[in-house]
Amino acid sequence: MVKVVKFGGSSLASAEQFKKVGNIIRAEESRKYVVPSAPGKRFDDDTKVTDMLYKCYAEAEAGKNIEKPLKAIKERYNEIIKGLKLKLSLDEQFETIKKQFESKAGKDYAASRGEYLNGIIMANYLGYEFIDAATVICFDKNGEFDAEKTNTVMSARLAKTKNAVVPGFYGAMPDGTVKTFSRGGSDVTGSIVARALKADVYENWTDVSGFLAADPRIVKNPKPITIITYKELRELSYMGASVLHESAIFPVRKEGIPINIRNTNAPEDPGTMIVETTCVKPECIITGIAGKKDFVSISIDKDMMNSEIGFGRKVLQVFEDNGISFEHMPSGIDTMTVFVHQDEFMEKEQKVLAELHRAVKPDVLELEPDLALIAVVGRGMKNSTGIAASIFTALAKAKINIKMIDQGSSELNIIIGVRNRYFEDAIKTIYGVFVAEEK
Ligand code: ADP
Ligand code: ASP
Ligand code: MG
């Protein structure tokens, strides 16, 4: 049995947390490959080391003296080293980092040092081999992750070692330039390592006892999800359930490896299993709810648009030409609405509107900003009727106006649009209907 274990920032924020992690790893022989994040927050208004690094590098780029911010970062690591009573010094590494920052080695290089240094400590603490992710995670010359090359290089390297620590979050381009994934990307590294090893399980250790049916910062004590499919999870994480990076399922999916989300602070909890498919019936009609704020809807009205061949394509072309990705596109007979991210749209608002006029000559163009999208997801929805009706009724009762409702053709999700200010209340209300009341 081989398990890959990834530990998130809060699981490695202090020596105390490191000790919990050490106990978890030592509790099972199969936990042979470890992917650490950088030290996260120790308390609510603490700063993640990754954020300290970004800030410090921005100062270096501005030509400021970085002695002080770099010292604060070093302190975070030294506190861990001291608490674990390790005979380890990072002086040499910090010398190199200082020089690299001053010679402007790049923002990605800067951020990656968080995981790199934590990986060195972790390897020393466990007595495992340290493998620099820059040697095994490959990005192409355009900075795109190269999945197949990485799999070949990573498999070959890992075959030579029985126990190893591979820091999360970064890799390198062919010329050696360090490149990171997007924020939260250590989850992706863990998945890549699991795929390369054809591991039995990818354990992702964090600070909650699994994937919860709703964001715990919005709903109080949401129910943990016992088992969820890759597809359901993808919908939820894409729509903002930030517990796992939205790209983390792709590598393990190739090998059908399950992901087990676990809690470092409650290792006895079974957590959530994320699987390809399952006969296990969901406990509720819906598996979970997630959502994101700050969208704009652009409604395009034109009589008889349905009979105009290529209308939709011309509309979407305008967004594509302006580098704006669209999120949803519900349509009626004479109306088409496109939902886009507000920040992407605002920069080019008038340009996009002018181009839409030119492209499709609409009768009316209307904008509505400050909208939130909420996804209600569940494999159990396929065989139930009246779900949209229940959502309508509940939100109407709570006096929340629905701006849009769109059911995906897979019947795996329903997307609801509401004003930003109703976002939290809408999630609480829907949770109340489908999860809380079924108990
Ligand atoms: P890590 O540092 O371990 O990678 P993250 O902070 O990235 O952890 O993710 C865990 C956090 O995700 C939780 O503390 C929780 O606040 C948040 N979260 C948002 N939505 C959910 C959800 N549906 N289930 C569980 N956690 C969620
Ligand atoms: N440390 C990185 C971040 O804060 C990556 C991660 O935690 O997964 O985004
Ligand atoms: Mg994370």
Side-chain angles (χ1 to χ4, degrees):
M1 180 101 160
V2 173
K3 287 182 175 179
V4 171
V5 288
K6 177 260 171 181
F7 291 88
S10 55
S11 303
L12 299 169
S14 64
E16 281 323 299
Q17 290 299 91
F18 254 82
K19 285 180 192 163
K20 290 184 195 169
V21 167
N23 290 337
I24 290 168
I25 293 171
R26 284 186 284 262
E28 274 189 35
E29 235 248 332
S30 56
R31 295 182 175 133
K32 298 177 203 290
Y33 299 91
V34 182
V35 175
S37 287
K41 292 183 180 189
R42 292 160 295 182
F43 39 86
D44 270 354
D45 48 5
D46 197 14
T47 311
K48 289 180 169 190
V49 165
T50 308
D51 292 311
M52 296 169 86
L53 285 161
Y54 278 125
K55 193 153 174 262
C56 178
Y57 186 70
E59 290 182 13
E61 259 195 326
K64 290 189 192 148
N65 186 320
I66 54 166
E67 206 81 47
K68 223 173 127 193
L70 209 53
K71 194 166 162 243
I73 294 167
K74 195 172 176 186
E75 263 318 298
R76 290 287 307 262
Y77 290 104
N78 281 344
E79 201 183 289
I80 295 171
I81 292 173
K82 200 168 151 226
L84 296 175
K85 301 193 172 67
L86 300 178
K87 282 191 199 68
L88 176 69
S89 158
L90 296 176
D91 288 350
E92 220 174 275
Q93 283 85 353
F94 270 92
E95 270 308 305
T96 310
I97 291 171
K98 184 162 179 280
K99 281 195 199 114
Q100 293 287 346
F101 273 40
E102 283 164 355
S103 57
K104 313 211 166 69
K107 194 167 149 240
D108 283 18
Y109 168 82
S112 75
R113 296 306 89 184
E115 286 35 38
Y116 172 79
L117 295 167
N118 229 18
I120 292 176
I121 297 180
M122 178 67 90
N124 187 288
Y125 177 52
L126 296 172
Y128 283 17
E129 186 179 351
F130 173 77
I131 299 177
D132 185 352
T135 63
V136 281
I137 301 255
C138 313
F139 288 82
D140 67 18
K141 61 181 190 319
N142 302 317
E144 297 292 329
F145 172 57
D146 188 337
E148 296 319 310
K149 184 176 170 196
T150 298
N151 198 44
T152 310
V153 173
M154 180 79 84
S155 308
R157 180 66 185 83
L158 292 177
K160 290 190 209 145
T161 172
K162 279 210 182 72
N163 304 90
V165 173
V166 183
F169 194 38
Y170 72 96
M173 299 203 274
D175 68 356
T177 309
V178 168
K179 173 90 192 139
T180 65
F181 293 107
S182 57
R183 293 301 303 265
S186 300
D187 291 334
V188 184
T189 308
S191 183
I192 292 166
V193 173
R195 176 188 173 197
L197 286 162
K198 297 189 171 38
D200 295 282
V201 186
Y202 166 26
E203 287 181 348
N204 187 294
W205 292 81
T206 181
D207 60 353
V208 275
S209 289
F211 218 96
L212 306 169
D215 191 326
R217 290 162 296 187
I218 299 175
V219 172
K220 217 170 136 201
N221 293 325
K223 207 171 73 66
I225 300 168
T226 321
I227 186 159
I228 182 172
T229 63
Y230 291 147
K231 275 199 181 128
E232 290 172 297
L233 177 102
R234 174 103 179 104
E235 299 278 352
L236 288 171
S237 53
Y238 181 73
M239 280 303 280
S242 54
V243 61
L244 194 72
H245 190 287
E246 65 186 58
S247 305
I249 59 163
F250 296 126
V252 284
R253 196 177 187 162
K254 289 219 161 74
E255 293 289 339
I257 301 164
I259 307 175
N260 186 196
I261 310 267
R262 300 285 292 267
N263 190 346
T264 300
N265 305 317
E268 61 291 351
D269 290 350
T272 300
M273 286 305 285
I274 305 166
V275 298
E276 169 90 52
T277 179
T278 174
C279 289
V280 177
K281 291 222 170 60
E283 291 146 64
C284 306
I285 296 172
I286 69 159
T287 304
I289 311 165
K292 285 197 242 182
K293 283 183 176 175
D294 298 326
F295 291 93
V296 183
S297 71
I298 301 117
S299 296
I300 305 154
D301 280 20
K302 187 176 185 186
D303 287 346
M304 307 288 288
M305 79 159 60
N306 265 10
S307 56
E308 202 176 314
I309 290 169
F311 190 93
R313 181 183 48 77
K314 286 182 211 157
V315 168
L316 294 183
Q317 189 69 46
V318 171
F319 290 97
E320 188 182 332
D321 292 347
N322 283 284
I324 300 170
S325 56
F326 78 95
E327 202 75 10
H328 271 279
M329 198 184 54
S331 64
I333 302 174
D334 297 323
T335 323
M336 179 174 160
T337 308
V338 183
F339 281 78
V340 297
H341 287 274
Q342 194 150 328
D343 54 351
E344 283 179 25
F345 177 71
M346 289 304 274
E347 289 168 25
K348 298 176 181 154
E349 180 187 76
Q350 294 307 317
K351 183 165 175 271
V352 171
L353 295 181
E355 286 176 26
L356 282 173
H357 265 288
R358 250 171 270 144
V360 295
K361 304 188 176 50
D363 298 332
V364 188
L365 269 182
E366 240 171 317
L367 293 183
E368 176 143 18
D370 305 322
L371 296 177
L373 292 175
I374 296 168
V376 180
V377 177
R379 59 187 185 280
M381 298 199 319
K382 216 174 186 154
N383 305 316
S384 316
T385 48
I387 296 169
S390 312
I391 295 174
F392 264 123
T393 314
L395 293 180
K397 246 194 215 160
K399 299 206 166 21
I400 297 170
N401 184 12
I402 301 177
K403 289 276 153 191
M404 186 272 293
I405 185 154
D406 192 12
Q407 176 154 31
S409 52
S410 60
E411 288 184 62
L412 194 67
N413 68 359
I414 294 181
I415 308 284
I416 299 136
V418 298
R419 290 209 178 85
N420 271 347
R421 64 171 183 277
Y422 295 133
F423 177 69
E424 283 84 7
D425 281 345
I427 289 185
K428 280 184 206 149
T429 305
I430 300 168
Y431 182 87
V433 175
F434 293 105
V435 190
E437 287 174 11
E438 288 196 11
K439 278 197 206 150

